[in-house]
Amino acid sequence: MTQSYMSANEVLEAKVKLLLEFFSIDDYAKQIIAPRVAKASLEMNHLYQDLGFANRVEMGRFMNQYFPRLSMMKPKETLWKKYIYDLINETAPACADCNDQVTCFKCQI
């Protein structure tokens, strides 16, 4: 019998995807956008950069369009990647080596 194990990143991606699916506004957000954001959240830049947005304002508009309830709950001073990973009680892979923790509003790792 062969057992299949998920890597740590696969577990994180699944947790983020599940969270985003819960807050999705519709099936498109749930089936297309949530997996895309979950996968991008594993990358080593800010989430807006990994999703190809020019800035955090564009990212905010995007998240509000597809995950409005989640967007309304997010504190204004918290960055999206940090906020999402805080909600699943995890640390994003990029956060451990981030040189921008001051901008990330003094996050504690």
Side-chain angles (χ1 to χ4, degrees), residues 12-24:
L12 290 175
E13 184 178 347
K15 285 181 172 184
V16 170
K17 182 175 167 267
L18 189 63
L19 172 80
L20 294 174
E21 286 173 347
F22 178 78
F23 285 101
S24 294

Side-chain angles (χ1 to χ4, degrees), residues 19 22-23 64 67-76 78 80 83 87:
L19 172 80
F22 178 78
F23 285 101
N64 190 54
F67 313 102
R69 290 183 299 137
L70 184 63
S71 187
M72 287 188 313
M73 293 173 11
K74 185 182 94 49
K76 184 177 182 179
T78 304
W80 270 106
Y83 179 63
L87 289 176

Side-chain angles (χ1 to χ4, degrees), residues 41-109:
S41 78
L42 299 172
E43 299 300 325
M44 301 310 281
N45 298 305
H46 292 293
L47 189 54
Y48 80 91
Q49 294 168 324
D50 293 326
L51 287 168
F53 294 112
N55 55 49
R56 291 182 174 103
V57 173
E58 286 182 8
M59 173 75 188
R61 286 186 196 129
F62 174 81
M63 294 300 283
N64 190 54
Q65 178 180 352
Y66 295 108
F67 313 102
R69 290 183 299 137
L70 184 63
S71 187
M72 287 188 313
M73 293 173 11
K74 185 182 94 49
K76 184 177 182 179
E77 69 278 356
T78 304
L79 301 180
W80 270 106
K81 188 180 286 191
K82 170 105 173 81
Y83 179 63
I84 289 169
Y85 276 84
D86 283 351
L87 289 176
I88 62 168
N89 295 312
E90 298 284 357
T91 300
C95 292
D97 297 323
C98 180
N99 295 325
D100 199 18
Q101 290 181 11
V102 172
T103 302
C104 202
F105 307 96
K106 300 181 177 102
C107 64
Q108 300 291 317
I109 297 190

